[in-house]
Amino acid sequence: MGDYVLDVNGTVVHVTAPADEPLLSVLRDRLNLTGTKYGCGEGQCGACTVLLNGVAMRSCRTPVSAAATAKIVTIEGLERHGVLSPVQQAFLDEEALQCGYCTSGMIMSATSLLSKTPNPTDEQIVGAMNGNVCRCGTYPRIVEAVRRAAHAAEKGAQ
Ligand code: FES
Ligand code: FES
């Protein structure tokens, strides 16, 4: 067991956990941040995606000890003062979900993409989202939502 100080969604939290405990378990089971989902547990589906220092990472494959020095952002941390992030809003507007199980991971991957590539091509969108699996097959609407979020951010910057 080790004691870790984590920066989660801008809040410093203290957790005691085995060094190799997945960040996903820490978030869900110790911090009650259940928006991040457990899918495969093997780094293959993207349901557990969170941001570490702005980069999309699979929290099921990230030990808590490796996350202790990073700024961690989960789906719960994207909204500000009751206003959804542009990516969250675009997913709603495009109805880019069916069961919703993959959605938080999709939104985190899209957020990471747009932070580095604000105006991505369709190829870049598909490339960045490729590791996120949607069993409901909502891929066309997901791509449309990412396009919409990029346009919204572009308009907002003008
Ligand atoms: S649960 Fe982490 S990639 Fe599937
Ligand atoms: S909306 Fe059901 S898995 Fe993607």
Side-chain angles (χ1 to χ4, degrees):
M1 292 295 252
D3 294 323
Y4 299 97
V5 180
L6 303 180
D7 180 337
V8 184
N9 299 330
T11 300
V12 173
V13 294
H14 296 256
V15 295
T16 302
D20 60 353
E21 180 165 318
L23 178 59
L24 176 61
S25 307
V26 171
L27 293 171
R28 289 183 55 84
D29 301 335
R30 297 183 188 273
L31 302 177
N32 202 28
L33 291 169
T34 55
T36 305
K37 300 303 183 197
Y38 180 99
C40 63
E42 296 178 352
Q44 300 295 321
C45 74
C48 65
T49 304
V50 298
L51 304 183
L52 259 61
N53 294 328
V55 178
M57 301 286 288
R58 305 295 189 244
S59 63
C60 72
R61 303 295 283 176
T62 304
V64 62
S65 54
T69 56
K71 282 192 180 308
I72 302 160
V73 177
T74 70
I75 189 75
E76 291 91 347
L78 293 185
E79 162 257 313
R80 288 272 176 277
H81 308 299
V83 178
L84 296 179
S85 76
V87 178
Q88 288 175 310
Q89 189 61 54
F91 269 67
L92 272 184
D93 292 342
E94 292 295 335
E95 299 181 357
L97 57 134
Q98 192 168 315
C99 76
Y101 203 82
C102 70
T103 308
S104 59
M106 291 284 182
I107 288 174
M108 301 316 284
S109 289
T111 300
S112 175
L113 166 69
L114 295 179
S115 70
K116 288 169 193 59
T117 311
N119 201 6
T121 62
D122 285 357
E123 206 173 39
Q124 287 172 316
I125 294 172
V126 171
M129 309 292 291
N130 218 8
N132 288 74
V133 176
C134 175
R135 291 170 298 181
C136 301
T138 60
Y139 296 111
R141 282 182 281 158
I142 288 169
V143 172
E144 197 54 49
V146 181
R147 278 196 209 112
R148 186 182 187 115
H151 290 155
E154 194 177 35
K155 269 183 164 166
Q158 282 170 3

